[in-house]
Amino acid sequence: MITIYRSREGVLETVPDIVSGCWINVIDPTSDEIERLVCEGIPQDFLTYPLDLDERSRTEREDDGKMLILLRIPYFQSQMVDVPYITIPLGIILTDQFIVTVCRYPNEVINEFTSGRIRHLSTAKRIRFVLRILLSTANLYLAYLREINRTVEAVEDQLQLSMQNREVMELLKYQKSLVYFTTALKSNELLLERLQRAQLFRMYPDDEDLLEDVITENQQAIEMANISSSILTSMMDAFASIISNNLNVVMKFLTSVTILLNLPVIVTGFYGMNVDLPLQEYAFAWQVILVICVAMIAITAIYFSRRRWF
């Protein structure tokens, strides 16, 4: 799908044809749509690279000045899948006339621009537009990391009383997401350092300052992802032991209760034998036996309680 936008007085509007100073948003294009963009002078490789979900962050430049910036952005799949948060490639193609963004899936980074939440947006200022995308990507990483931390805290409360592996498997899902985030953020960091060394963003002081903000936000996301991943790894090891301990406590309690319930069975089984037994001549022998059973249970229960076996 190809959608063409152009800003007018800070407001983004859709236009039918490709014009100078426009933004072309491409989502999962067909072969015909790719051919149309190739006819506009865009290299075909620049359009197909971002569609490969395994592409790494990098930059490429053609001899005629066209440039591809390929970065990895966070993508939320669903809470029901094995990995709720992954990263996908987003391609940004710069030409002399317009800017093109290419991605396999609709994503929150592009949606933030198309929904009008970005104020004072100008599609004609191509370098500033790229920096806005980079900054939105870093901010989205931070937002998703905070969401992961909140979800992990909720699972942590359930784990304290858990005796099953369901909560641990839930934590494993988010640990995988953090691995994806950490790898992508480090790759994006190398990309930003490469862009900072280039002369592309040094034409205007505001652009250079915005690039510094992007690098700072990306480094903050890296640190946050590393901290969250370390905490989650330690938490999973700790709660694996907690689940085992919870199960041991239950088994210990059930074993103690079984012992207490078997004490009367021993006494009554002894008096069920067809031989001469103590107290068999007394009319209140069964009351005496009952008192003996209760006393044995009480003494054993007190002993178990002092040993903390309950």
Side-chain angles (χ1 to χ4, degrees), residues 32-77:
D32 293 337
E33 291 172 338
I34 292 177
E35 186 64 27
R36 175 190 174 187
L37 294 173
V38 170
C39 293
E40 295 292 336
I42 303 174
Q44 185 173 357
D45 291 343
F46 284 9
L47 297 171
T48 55
Y49 285 154
L51 303 180
D52 185 359
L53 297 179
D54 296 325
E55 284 289 342
R56 60 182 178 84
S57 301
R58 67 180 188 276
T59 61
E60 290 190 12
R61 184 188 293 270
E62 292 287 318
D63 295 336
D64 56 1
K66 295 183 178 65
M67 183 177 182
L68 169 67
I69 300 175
L70 192 63
L71 71 153
R72 298 198 67 88
I73 63 174
Y75 181 75
F76 175 68
Q77 299 189 99

CSV table of all heavy atoms in Angstrom, one decimal, residues 32-77:
chain,number,residue,atom,x,y,z
A,32,ASP,N,3.7,-4.5,-8.3
A,32,ASP,CA,3.3,-3.4,-9.1
A,32,ASP,C,3.6,-2.1,-8.4
A,32,ASP,O,4.1,-1.1,-9.1
A,32,ASP,CB,1.8,-3.4,-9.4
A,32,ASP,CG,1.4,-4.6,-10.3
A,32,ASP,OD1,2.3,-5.1,-11.0
A,32,ASP,OD2,0.3,-5.1,-10.3
A,33,GLU,N,3.4,-2.0,-7.1
A,33,GLU,CA,3.7,-0.7,-6.4
A,33,GLU,C,5.2,-0.5,-6.4
A,33,GLU,O,5.7,0.6,-6.5
A,33,GLU,CB,3.1,-0.8,-5.0
A,33,GLU,CG,1.6,-0.8,-5.0
A,33,GLU,CD,1.0,-1.1,-3.6
A,33,GLU,OE1,1.7,-1.7,-2.8
A,33,GLU,OE2,-0.1,-0.6,-3.3
A,34,ILE,N,6.0,-1.6,-6.2
A,34,ILE,CA,7.4,-1.4,-6.3
A,34,ILE,C,7.9,-1.0,-7.6
A,34,ILE,O,8.8,-0.1,-7.7
A,34,ILE,CB,8.1,-2.8,-5.9
A,34,ILE,CG1,7.9,-3.1,-4.4
A,34,ILE,CG2,9.6,-2.7,-6.1
A,34,ILE,CD1,8.4,-4.5,-4.0
A,35,GLU,N,7.3,-1.5,-8.7
A,35,GLU,CA,7.6,-1.1,-10.0
A,35,GLU,C,7.3,0.4,-10.2
A,35,GLU,O,8.1,1.1,-10.9
A,35,GLU,CB,6.9,-1.9,-11.0
A,35,GLU,CG,7.3,-1.7,-12.5
A,35,GLU,CD,8.7,-2.0,-12.8
A,35,GLU,OE1,9.3,-2.9,-12.1
A,35,GLU,OE2,9.3,-1.4,-13.7
A,36,ARG,N,6.2,0.9,-9.7
A,36,ARG,CA,5.8,2.3,-9.8
A,36,ARG,C,6.9,3.2,-9.1
A,36,ARG,O,7.3,4.2,-9.7
A,36,ARG,CB,4.5,2.5,-9.2
A,36,ARG,CG,4.0,4.0,-9.1
A,36,ARG,CD,2.8,4.1,-8.3
A,36,ARG,NE,2.4,5.5,-8.1
A,36,ARG,CZ,1.5,6.0,-7.3
A,36,ARG,NH1,0.7,5.1,-6.6
A,36,ARG,NH2,1.2,7.3,-7.2
A,37,LEU,N,7.3,2.8,-8.0
A,37,LEU,CA,8.3,3.6,-7.3
A,37,LEU,C,9.7,3.5,-8.0
A,37,LEU,O,10.5,4.5,-8.0
A,37,LEU,CB,8.5,3.1,-5.8
A,37,LEU,CG,7.2,3.3,-4.9
A,37,LEU,CD1,7.4,2.7,-3.6
A,37,LEU,CD2,6.9,4.8,-4.8
A,38,VAL,N,10.0,2.4,-8.6
A,38,VAL,CA,11.3,2.3,-9.3
A,38,VAL,C,11.2,3.2,-10.5
A,38,VAL,O,12.3,3.9,-10.8
A,38,VAL,CB,11.5,0.8,-9.8
A,38,VAL,CG1,12.7,0.7,-10.8
A,38,VAL,CG2,11.8,-0.1,-8.6
A,39,CYS,N,10.1,3.4,-11.1
A,39,CYS,CA,9.9,4.3,-12.2
A,39,CYS,C,10.2,5.8,-11.8
A,39,CYS,O,10.5,6.6,-12.6
A,39,CYS,CB,8.6,4.2,-12.9
A,39,CYS,SG,8.3,2.6,-13.7
A,40,GLU,N,10.0,6.0,-10.5
A,40,GLU,CA,10.2,7.4,-9.9
A,40,GLU,C,11.7,7.6,-9.6
A,40,GLU,O,12.1,8.6,-9.1
A,40,GLU,CB,9.4,7.6,-8.7
A,40,GLU,CG,7.9,7.6,-8.9
A,40,GLU,CD,7.4,8.8,-9.7
A,40,GLU,OE1,8.1,9.8,-9.7
A,40,GLU,OE2,6.4,8.7,-10.3
A,41,GLY,N,12.5,6.6,-9.9
A,41,GLY,CA,14.0,6.8,-9.7
A,41,GLY,C,14.5,6.2,-8.4
A,41,GLY,O,15.7,6.4,-8.1
A,42,ILE,N,13.7,5.4,-7.7
A,42,ILE,CA,14.1,4.8,-6.4
A,42,ILE,C,14.7,3.5,-6.7
A,42,ILE,O,14.1,2.6,-7.4
A,42,ILE,CB,12.9,4.7,-5.5
A,42,ILE,CG1,12.3,6.1,-5.2
A,42,ILE,CG2,13.4,4.1,-4.1
A,42,ILE,CD1,11.0,6.0,-4.4
A,43,PRO,N,15.9,3.2,-6.2
A,43,PRO,CA,16.5,1.9,-6.5
A,43,PRO,C,15.7,0.7,-5.9
A,43,PRO,O,15.1,0.9,-4.8
A,43,PRO,CB,17.9,2.0,-5.8
A,43,PRO,CG,18.2,3.4,-5.7
A,43,PRO,CD,16.8,4.1,-5.5
A,44,GLN,N,15.6,-0.3,-6.6
A,44,GLN,CA,14.7,-1.4,-6.2
A,44,GLN,C,15.2,-2.1,-4.9
A,44,GLN,O,14.4,-2.5,-4.1
A,44,GLN,CB,14.6,-2.5,-7.3
A,44,GLN,CG,13.6,-3.6,-7.0
A,44,GLN,CD,13.4,-4.5,-8.2
A,44,GLN,OE1,13.9,-4.3,-9.3
A,44,GLN,NE2,12.6,-5.6,-8.0
A,45,ASP,N,16.5,-2.1,-4.8
A,45,ASP,CA,17.1,-2.7,-3.6
A,45,ASP,C,16.7,-1.9,-2.3
A,45,ASP,O,16.5,-2.5,-1.3
A,45,ASP,CB,18.6,-2.8,-3.7
A,45,ASP,CG,19.1,-3.8,-4.7
A,45,ASP,OD1,18.3,-4.7,-5.1
A,45,ASP,OD2,20.3,-3.7,-5.1
A,46,PHE,N,16.6,-0.6,-2.5
A,46,PHE,CA,16.2,0.2,-1.3
A,46,PHE,C,14.8,-0.1,-0.9
A,46,PHE,O,14.4,0.1,0.3
A,46,PHE,CB,16.3,1.7,-1.7
A,46,PHE,CG,17.7,2.2,-1.7
A,46,PHE,CD1,18.8,1.4,-1.6
A,46,PHE,CD2,18.0,3.6,-1.9
A,46,PHE,CE1,20.1,1.8,-1.6
A,46,PHE,CE2,19.3,4.1,-1.9
A,46,PHE,CZ,20.4,3.2,-1.8
A,47,LEU,N,14.0,-0.6,-1.8
A,47,LEU,CA,12.6,-0.9,-1.5
A,47,LEU,C,12.4,-2.3,-1.0
A,47,LEU,O,11.5,-2.5,-0.2
A,47,LEU,CB,11.7,-0.7,-2.8
A,47,LEU,CG,11.6,0.7,-3.3
A,47,LEU,CD1,10.9,0.7,-4.7
A,47,LEU,CD2,10.9,1.6,-2.4
A,48,THR,N,13.3,-3.2,-1.3
A,48,THR,CA,13.1,-4.6,-0.9
A,48,THR,C,13.9,-4.9,0.4
A,48,THR,O,13.5,-5.8,1.1
A,48,THR,CB,13.6,-5.5,-2.0
A,48,THR,OG1,15.0,-5.2,-2.4
A,48,THR,CG2,12.7,-5.4,-3.3
A,49,TYR,N,15.0,-4.2,0.6
A,49,TYR,CA,15.7,-4.4,1.9
A,49,TYR,C,14.8,-4.3,3.1
A,49,TYR,O,14.9,-5.2,4.0
A,49,TYR,CB,16.9,-3.5,2.0
A,49,TYR,CG,18.1,-3.8,1.1
A,49,TYR,CD1,19.0,-2.8,0.6
A,49,TYR,CD2,18.3,-5.1,0.7
A,49,TYR,CE1,20.0,-3.2,-0.2
A,49,TYR,CE2,19.4,-5.4,-0.2
A,49,TYR,CZ,20.2,-4.5,-0.6
A,49,TYR,OH,21.3,-4.8,-1.5
A,50,PRO,N,14.1,-3.3,3.3
A,50,PRO,CA,13.3,-3.2,4.5
A,50,PRO,C,12.2,-4.2,4.7
A,50,PRO,O,11.6,-4.4,5.8
A,50,PRO,CB,12.6,-1.8,4.4
A,50,PRO,CG,13.5,-1.0,3.4
A,50,PRO,CD,13.9,-2.1,2.5
A,51,LEU,N,11.8,-4.9,3.6
A,51,LEU,CA,10.8,-6.0,3.7
A,51,LEU,C,11.4,-7.3,4.2
A,51,LEU,O,10.6,-8.2,4.5
A,51,LEU,CB,10.2,-6.2,2.3
A,51,LEU,CG,9.6,-5.0,1.6
A,51,LEU,CD1,9.1,-5.3,0.2
A,51,LEU,CD2,8.5,-4.3,2.5
A,52,ASP,N,12.7,-7.4,4.3
A,52,ASP,CA,13.3,-8.6,4.9
A,52,ASP,C,13.4,-8.3,6.4
A,52,ASP,O,14.1,-7.4,6.9
A,52,ASP,CB,14.7,-8.8,4.3
A,52,ASP,CG,15.4,-10.0,4.8
A,52,ASP,OD1,14.7,-10.8,5.6
A,52,ASP,OD2,16.5,-10.3,4.4
A,53,LEU,N,12.7,-9.2,7.2
A,53,LEU,CA,12.6,-9.0,8.6
A,53,LEU,C,13.9,-9.2,9.3
A,53,LEU,O,14.0,-8.9,10.5
A,53,LEU,CB,11.5,-9.9,9.2
A,53,LEU,CG,10.1,-9.7,8.7
A,53,LEU,CD1,9.1,-10.6,9.3
A,53,LEU,CD2,9.6,-8.2,9.0
A,54,ASP,N,14.9,-9.8,8.7
A,54,ASP,CA,16.2,-10.1,9.3
A,54,ASP,C,17.2,-9.1,9.0
A,54,ASP,O,18.4,-9.2,9.4
A,54,ASP,CB,16.7,-11.5,8.9
A,54,ASP,CG,15.7,-12.6,9.4
A,54,ASP,OD1,15.2,-12.4,10.5
A,54,ASP,OD2,15.6,-13.6,8.7
A,55,GLU,N,16.9,-8.0,8.3
A,55,GLU,CA,17.9,-7.0,7.9
A,55,GLU,C,18.4,-6.2,9.1
A,55,GLU,O,17.6,-6.0,10.0
A,55,GLU,CB,17.3,-6.0,6.9
A,55,GLU,CG,17.2,-6.6,5.5
A,55,GLU,CD,18.5,-6.7,4.8
A,55,GLU,OE1,19.5,-6.1,5.2
A,55,GLU,OE2,18.6,-7.5,3.8
A,56,ARG,N,19.6,-5.9,9.1
A,56,ARG,CA,20.2,-5.2,10.2
A,56,ARG,C,20.2,-3.7,9.9
A,56,ARG,O,20.0,-3.2,8.8
A,56,ARG,CB,21.6,-5.7,10.5
A,56,ARG,CG,22.6,-5.5,9.3
A,56,ARG,CD,24.0,-6.0,9.6
A,56,ARG,NE,24.8,-5.9,8.5
A,56,ARG,CZ,25.5,-4.7,8.2
A,56,ARG,NH1,25.4,-3.7,9.0
A,56,ARG,NH2,26.3,-4.7,7.1
A,57,SER,N,20.4,-2.9,11.0
A,57,SER,CA,20.5,-1.4,10.8
A,57,SER,C,21.8,-1.0,10.1
A,57,SER,O,22.9,-1.5,10.4
A,57,SER,CB,20.4,-0.7,12.2
A,57,SER,OG,19.3,-1.1,12.9
A,58,ARG,N,21.6,-0.2,9.1
A,58,ARG,CA,22.8,0.3,8.3
A,58,ARG,C,22.3,1.4,7.4
A,58,ARG,O,21.1,1.8,7.3
A,58,ARG,CB,23.3,-0.8,7.5
A,58,ARG,CG,22.4,-1.3,6.3
A,58,ARG,CD,23.1,-2.4,5.6
A,58,ARG,NE,22.4,-2.8,4.4
A,58,ARG,CZ,21.4,-3.7,4.3
A,58,ARG,NH1,21.0,-4.2,5.5
A,58,ARG,NH2,20.8,-4.0,3.2
A,59,THR,N,23.3,2.0,6.7
A,59,THR,CA,23.0,3.0,5.7
A,59,THR,C,23.7,2.7,4.4
A,59,THR,O,24.7,2.0,4.4
A,59,THR,CB,23.5,4.4,6.2
A,59,THR,OG1,25.0,4.3,6.3
A,59,THR,CG2,22.9,4.9,7.5
A,60,GLU,N,23.0,3.0,3.3
A,60,GLU,CA,23.6,2.8,2.0
A,60,GLU,C,23.4,4.1,1.1
A,60,GLU,O,22.3,4.8,1.3
A,60,GLU,CB,23.0,1.6,1.3
A,60,GLU,CG,23.4,0.3,1.9
A,60,GLU,CD,23.0,-0.9,1.0
A,60,GLU,OE1,22.5,-0.6,-0.1
A,60,GLU,OE2,23.0,-2.0,1.5
A,61,ARG,N,24.3,4.4,0.3
A,61,ARG,CA,24.2,5.6,-0.6
A,61,ARG,C,24.5,5.2,-2.0
A,61,ARG,O,25.5,4.5,-2.3
A,61,ARG,CB,25.1,6.7,-0.1
A,61,ARG,CG,25.0,8.0,-0.8
A,61,ARG,CD,26.1,9.0,-0.4
A,61,ARG,NE,25.8,9.4,1.0
A,61,ARG,CZ,25.1,10.5,1.4
A,61,ARG,NH1,24.5,11.2,0.4
A,61,ARG,NH2,25.0,10.8,2.6
A,62,GLU,N,23.7,5.7,-2.9
A,62,GLU,CA,23.9,5.5,-4.3
A,62,GLU,C,24.8,6.7,-4.9
A,62,GLU,O,25.0,7.7,-4.2
A,62,GLU,CB,22.6,5.5,-5.1
A,62,GLU,CG,21.7,4.3,-4.8
A,62,GLU,CD,22.3,3.1,-5.5
A,62,GLU,OE1,22.7,3.1,-6.6
A,62,GLU,OE2,22.3,2.0,-4.8
A,63,ASP,N,25.4,6.5,-6.1
A,63,ASP,CA,26.2,7.5,-6.7
A,63,ASP,C,25.5,8.8,-7.0
A,63,ASP,O,26.1,9.9,-7.0
A,63,ASP,CB,26.9,7.0,-8.0
A,63,ASP,CG,27.8,5.8,-7.7
A,63,ASP,OD1,28.3,5.7,-6.6
A,63,ASP,OD2,28.0,5.0,-8.6
A,64,ASP,N,24.2,8.7,-7.2
A,64,ASP,CA,23.4,9.9,-7.6
A,64,ASP,C,22.9,10.6,-6.3
A,64,ASP,O,22.1,11.6,-6.4
A,64,ASP,CB,22.2,9.5,-8.4
A,64,ASP,CG,21.3,8.5,-7.8
A,64,ASP,OD1,21.6,8.0,-6.7
A,64,ASP,OD2,20.3,8.1,-8.4
A,65,GLY,N,23.3,10.2,-5.1
A,65,GLY,CA,23.0,10.9,-3.9
A,65,GLY,C,21.8,10.3,-3.1
A,65,GLY,O,21.6,10.7,-2.0
A,66,LYS,N,21.1,9.4,-3.7
A,66,LYS,CA,20.0,8.7,-3.0
A,66,LYS,C,20.5,7.9,-1.8
A,66,LYS,O,21.6,7.2,-2.0
A,66,LYS,CB,19.2,7.9,-3.9
A,66,LYS,CG,18.4,8.6,-5.0
A,66,LYS,CD,17.6,7.7,-5.8
A,66,LYS,CE,16.8,8.5,-6.9
A,66,LYS,NZ,17.7,9.1,-7.9
A,67,MET,N,19.9,8.0,-0.7
A,67,MET,CA,20.4,7.3,0.5
A,67,MET,C,19.3,6.5,1.2
A,67,MET,O,18.1,6.9,1.3
A,67,MET,CB,20.9,8.4,1.5
A,67,MET,CG,21.5,7.9,2.8
A,67,MET,SD,22.1,9.3,3.8
A,67,MET,CE,22.8,8.3,5.2
A,68,LEU,N,19.7,5.4,1.7
A,68,LEU,CA,18.8,4.5,2.5
A,68,LEU,C,19.3,4.4,3.9
A,68,LEU,O,20.5,4.1,4.2
A,68,LEU,CB,18.8,3.1,1.9
A,68,LEU,CG,18.1,2.0,2.7
A,68,LEU,CD1,16.6,2.3,2.8
A,68,LEU,CD2,18.4,0.6,2.2
A,69,ILE,N,18.4,4.7,4.8
A,69,ILE,CA,18.7,4.6,6.3
A,69,ILE,C,17.8,3.4,6.8
A,69,ILE,O,16.6,3.6,6.7
A,69,ILE,CB,18.4,5.9,7.0
A,69,ILE,CG1,19.3,7.0,6.5
A,69,ILE,CG2,18.6,5.6,8.5
A,69,ILE,CD1,19.0,8.3,7.2
A,70,LEU,N,18.4,2.3,7.2
A,70,LEU,CA,17.6,1.2,7.6
A,70,LEU,C,17.8,1.0,9.1
A,70,LEU,O,19.0,0.8,9.6
A,70,LEU,CB,18.1,-0.1,6.9
A,70,LEU,CG,17.3,-1.3,7.0
A,70,LEU,CD1,15.9,-1.1,6.4
A,70,LEU,CD2,17.9,-2.5,6.3
A,71,LEU,N,16.8,1.1,9.9
A,71,LEU,CA,16.8,1.0,11.3
A,71,LEU,C,15.8,0.0,11.8
A,71,LEU,O,14.8,-0.3,11.0
A,71,LEU,CB,16.6,2.3,12.0
A,71,LEU,CG,15.2,2.9,12.0
A,71,LEU,CD1,15.0,3.8,13.2
A,71,LEU,CD2,15.0,3.7,10.8
A,72,ARG,N,16.0,-0.5,12.9
A,72,ARG,CA,15.0,-1.5,13.5
A,72,ARG,C,14.2,-0.8,14.5
A,72,ARG,O,14.7,-0.1,15.4
A,72,ARG,CB,15.7,-2.7,14.1
A,72,ARG,CG,16.6,-3.5,13.1
A,72,ARG,CD,16.9,-4.9,13.6
A,72,ARG,NE,15.7,-5.7,13.8
A,72,ARG,CZ,15.2,-6.5,12.8
A,72,ARG,NH1,15.8,-6.5,11.6
A,72,ARG,NH2,14.2,-7.3,13.0
A,73,ILE,N,12.8,-1.0,14.4
A,73,ILE,CA,11.9,-0.3,15.3
A,73,ILE,C,11.2,-1.4,16.1
A,73,ILE,O,11.0,-2.5,15.7
A,73,ILE,CB,10.9,0.5,14.5
A,73,ILE,CG1,10.1,-0.4,13.5
A,73,ILE,CG2,11.6,1.6,13.7
A,73,ILE,CD1,8.9,0.3,12.8
A,74,PRO,N,10.6,-1.0,17.3
A,74,PRO,CA,9.9,-2.0,18.1
A,74,PRO,C,8.5,-2.2,17.5
A,74,PRO,O,7.9,-1.3,16.9
A,74,PRO,CB,9.8,-1.3,19.4
A,74,PRO,CG,9.9,0.1,19.2
A,74,PRO,CD,10.8,0.3,18.0
A,75,TYR,N,8.0,-3.4,17.7
A,75,TYR,CA,6.7,-3.8,17.1
A,75,TYR,C,6.0,-4.7,18.1
A,75,TYR,O,6.6,-5.8,18.5
A,75,TYR,CB,6.9,-4.5,15.8
A,75,TYR,CG,5.6,-4.9,15.1
A,75,TYR,CD1,4.8,-4.0,14.5
A,75,TYR,CD2,5.2,-6.3,15.1
A,75,TYR,CE1,3.6,-4.4,13.8
A,75,TYR,CE2,4.1,-6.7,14.5
A,75,TYR,CZ,3.3,-5.7,13.8
A,75,TYR,OH,2.1,-6.1,13.2
A,76,PHE,N,4.8,-4.4,18.4
A,76,PHE,CA,4.0,-5.2,19.4
A,76,PHE,C,3.1,-6.1,18.6
A,76,PHE,O,2.3,-5.7,17.8
A,76,PHE,CB,3.2,-4.2,20.3
A,76,PHE,CG,2.2,-5.0,21.2
A,76,PHE,CD1,2.7,-5.7,22.2
A,76,PHE,CD2,0.9,-4.9,21.0
A,76,PHE,CE1,1.9,-6.4,23.1
A,76,PHE,CE2,0.0,-5.6,21.8
A,76,PHE,CZ,0.5,-6.4,22.9
A,77,GLN,N,3.3,-7.4,18.8
A,77,GLN,CA,2.5,-8.4,18.1
A,77,GLN,C,1.2,-8.7,18.9
A,77,GLN,O,0.1,-8.3,18.4
A,77,GLN,CB,3.3,-9.7,18.0
A,77,GLN,CG,4.6,-9.6,17.2
A,77,GLN,CD,5.2,-10.9,16.9
A,77,GLN,OE1,5.0,-11.5,15.8
A,77,GLN,NE2,5.9,-11.5,17.9
